[in-house]
Amino acid sequence: MNRKAFITWGGWSGHEPEQTSALFAKLLAEKGFAVERVDSLSPLADAEKMKTFDLIVPVWTMSSIAKEELRGLLEAVRSGVGIGGWHGGMGDAFRQETEYQWMVGGQWVAHPGNAIDYTVEVVKNDLITAGIGTFAMHSEQYYMHTDPGNEVLAVTRFDGRHADWIAGTIMPAAWKRHYGKGRVFYCSLGHVAADFDVPEARELTLRGLLWAAHAL
């Protein structure tokens, strides 16, 4: 039986939500998922429908979410539906909704220097990260407020070039956690679709989504 994924995209267009969501819809379909991809949050209000999916992928930077939509999403994840996403599409969404941030396990607060060269280092070897080592990115290096309960998979180090007071800060760049019975995966990479041309960034994110859906 095919697994099912629900992808909802929208919000700030600078993060290319249409393009990035289409990329991972294709990658998930290649892994055998039946994918429903919509540019609307309204289906989230139907918690019973959301519970029929194995994975929910929200791609909505900033924006706002109606209370009934948020309730449906949270109820589905607490019941055991996986959720996963990347960059601002999941880590800078619905800024007023602290329960959403609690579920995600973090919230974006800055990207000093905007698009810069930096490295990502895998710090935990498991199914998501196996065979992926340190790799280079040219993108926004996310500085985040994160939950100490996250199981951190990869980190990035700030060198202080653009904000000297954070020199040496080691920041989680990918993690997994649980919210209720649901698996949660987040990766801070993926400012634009071209970021996923980096094979390690694409593979790390895809594996994280598969893990969230109990498909890895």
Side-chain angles (χ1 to χ4, degrees):
M1 182 175 66
N2 282 354
R3 287 183 169 85
K4 295 171 58 182
F6 180 83
I7 301 177
T8 174
W9 66 269
W12 185 59
S13 63
H15 278 158
E16 301 184 354
E18 182 174 10
Q19 298 93 320
T20 57
S21 65
L23 169 63
F24 282 97
K26 177 177 180 292
L27 294 174
L28 288 169
E30 290 172 354
K31 294 294 185 179
F33 280 74
V35 180
E36 180 177 340
R37 186 173 72 101
V38 300
D39 60 346
S40 172
L41 293 168
S42 60
L44 297 176
D46 186 347
E48 294 310 308
K49 176 181 177 178
M50 290 300 105
K51 290 176 185 178
T52 68
F53 291 95
D54 299 281
L55 176 67
I56 298 171
V57 182
V59 193
W60 282 82
T61 302
M62 297 181 281
S63 195
S64 60
I65 185 170
K67 296 300 181 185
E68 61 272 18
E69 293 164 353
L70 180 60
R71 277 197 301 269
L73 172 61
L74 297 176
E75 182 179 328
V77 178
R78 283 196 300 264
S79 76
V81 178
I83 186 168
W86 54 86
H87 202 67
M90 184 166 159
D92 182 25
F94 320 134
R95 291 177 178 176
Q96 303 303 311
E97 305 298 345
T98 53
E99 184 78 17
Y100 178 84
Q101 295 166 18
W102 187 26
M103 175 184 66
V104 173
Q107 168 64 34
W108 168 84
V109 293
H111 42 69
N114 299 314
I116 61 173
D117 293 321
Y118 67 96
T119 59
V120 177
E121 177 187 357
V122 169
V123 293
K124 182 178 179 61
N125 184 33
D126 71 359
L127 290 174
I128 298 175
T129 60
I132 301 175
T134 299
F135 60 96
M137 293 294 300
H138 179 82
S139 186
E140 291 179 344
Q141 185 182 27
Y142 261 19
Y143 196 98
M144 305 188 74
H145 289 170
T146 64
D147 190 319
N150 293 339
E151 187 173 348
V152 177
L153 304 172
V155 301
T156 184
R157 183 187 298 269
F158 286 83
D159 61 16
R161 284 177 294 166
H162 305 286
D164 58 7
W165 61 93
I166 60 169
T169 297
I170 298 172
M171 180 61 55
W175 62 75
K176 61 183 182 179
R177 59 185 283 114
H178 287 82
Y179 179 76
K181 296 178 181 178
R183 289 182 171 188
V184 180
F185 169 79
Y186 175 76
C187 178
S188 69
L189 312 179
H191 173 58
V192 291
D195 284 7
F196 294 114
D197 291 342
V198 177
E200 295 93 339
R202 183 176 62 251
E203 187 67 14
L204 179 66
T205 305
L206 176 59
R207 289 185 194 173
L209 299 181
L210 295 174
W211 173 84
H214 293 266
L216 186 67

